[in-house]
């Protein structure tokens, strides 16, 4: 069994609608942009194996604040504000809390000293909470509202995990999965590649690159986003 807390210097790009049936907003943030807005972030991976059976869990929690956007929009209705005719402006500040948990089990289909490969299946759980402070205006028509919504869904996922020893202490690892298939989101995917170094029987470190994507649209919400950037982790085995 092993536990790996890690740092993910992720950027974000995509489109989201902060409230039901509202307009989609384009987001493109570098890691430095994310750090300016970040209130709290935490990342953890858990991995275990018994004989050829394996289990995996990955948790991501991010709380972002102070995002905002303005611009002329088509006609729309904002809860608590009313109808903003075409050409009106929306100015809002958005706090977003994102929680994802990917839980999978599987079987080691190849197990040799030179290469191992695990086949995995499970679920990715998503919870997105948006709190928006919205101000709409068109000429003399104005209105403001504080509004919060939370959406959640579960995606089935299947994946592979490969491990290649290079030396006694150095190794390469790759993981990838796909899912959604319309059961939760339209599509979700993730990929991870790392270089790992073992310091002792209980302690190792890893560095690499991770990407995570999702395309969700349902119940008036849109959450189409990609997270990507370098990762650095420390693993404790017991």
């Amino acid at each position: 069994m092993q536990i790996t807390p890690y740092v993910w210097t992720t950027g974000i790009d995509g489109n989201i609608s902060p409230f039901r049936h509202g307009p989609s907003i384009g987001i493109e943030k570098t890691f430095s942009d994310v750090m300016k807005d970040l209130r709290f972030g935490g990342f953890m991976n858990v991995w275990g194996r018994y004989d050829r059976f394996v289990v995996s869990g990955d948790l991501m929690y991010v709380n972002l604040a102070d995002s905002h956007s303005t611009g002329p929009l088509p006609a729309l209705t904002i809860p608590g504000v009313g109808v903003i005719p075409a050409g009106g402006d929306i100015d809002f500040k958005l706090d977003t809390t994102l929680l994802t948990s990917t839980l999978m089990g599987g079987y080691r289909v190849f197990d040799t000293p030179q290469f191992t490969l695990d086949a995995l299946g499970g679920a990715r759980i998503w919870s997105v909470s948006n709190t928006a402070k919205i101000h709409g205006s068109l000429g003399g028509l104005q209105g403001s509202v504080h509004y919060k919504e939370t959406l959640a869904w579960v995606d089935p996922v299947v994946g592979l995990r490969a491990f290649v020893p290079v030396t006694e202490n150095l190794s390469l690892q790759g993981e990838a999965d796909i899912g959604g298939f319309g059961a939760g989101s339209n599509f979700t995917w993730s990929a991870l590649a790392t270089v790992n170094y073992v310091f002792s029987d209980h302690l190792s470190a890893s560095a690499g690159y991770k990407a995570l994507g999702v395309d969700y649209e349902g119940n008036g919400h849109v959450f189409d986003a990609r997270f990507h950037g370098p990762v650095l982790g420390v693993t404790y085995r017991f």
Side-chain angles (χ1 to χ4, degrees):
M1 193 78 174
Q2 65 184 45
I3 297 177
T4 307
Y6 61 94
V7 176
W8 186 13
T9 57
T10 179
I12 306 171
D13 63 80
N15 294 278
I16 67 169
S17 58
F19 50 87
R20 186 172 299 172
H21 302 300
S24 295
I25 300 136
I27 294 177
E28 186 172 351
K29 292 179 178 290
T30 64
F31 173 65
S32 61
D33 294 331
V34 172
M35 287 303 296
K36 291 177 184 177
D37 296 340
L38 184 66
R39 283 180 171 171
F40 179 81
F43 310 93
M44 178 75 72
N45 183 271
V46 178
W47 181 268
R49 181 170 71 94
Y50 177 76
D51 194 17
R52 282 182 173 249
F53 297 97
V54 296
V55 293
S56 173
D58 192 83
L59 178 69
M60 175 176 77
Y61 177 87
V62 177
N63 180 226
L64 298 172
D66 296 331
S67 300
H68 64 276
S69 180
T70 60
L73 298 168
L76 72 153
T77 302
I78 300 177
V81 175
V83 177
I84 303 297
D89 288 338
I90 296 295
D91 188 351
F92 69 92
K93 294 183 178 180
L94 177 67
D95 291 353
T96 298
T97 299
L98 171 64
L99 174 66
T100 71
S101 179
T102 304
L103 307 173
M104 292 195 286
Y107 187 79
R108 181 150 293 181
V109 293
F110 290 103
D111 191 5
T112 70
Q114 296 79 30
F115 176 73
T116 66
L117 180 67
D118 302 321
L120 304 166
R124 179 170 294 130
I125 303 166
W126 297 83
S127 176
V128 184
S129 179
N130 293 310
T131 301
K133 296 179 181 179
I134 310 161
H135 181 79
S137 64
L138 177 64
L141 178 64
Q142 299 187 46
S144 299
V145 69
H146 182 276
Y147 189 69
K148 180 177 180 178
E149 283 192 358
T150 299
L151 62 148
W153 69 94
V154 179
D155 287 324
V157 290
V158 293
L160 295 172
R161 179 180 187 264
F163 183 82
V164 180
V166 178
T167 68
E168 183 178 353
N169 298 98
L170 190 67
S171 64
L172 304 175
Q173 181 177 308
E175 301 179 32
D177 66 58
I178 59 173
F181 311 120
S185 66
N186 296 322
F187 188 64
T188 184
W189 60 273
S190 74
L192 171 68
T194 61
V195 178
N196 318 293
Y197 189 84
V198 176
F199 296 102
S200 68
D201 290 340
H202 297 289
L203 189 65
S204 64
S206 57
Y209 197 90
K210 180 177 181 177
L212 170 67
V214 65
D215 178 10
Y216 174 84
E217 186 173 354
N219 298 318
H221 289 284
V222 174
F223 192 82
D224 179 11
R226 287 150 296 282
F227 306 82
H228 47 86
V231 292
L232 181 65
V234 176
T235 298
Y236 179 76
R237 294 180 181 83
F238 56 93

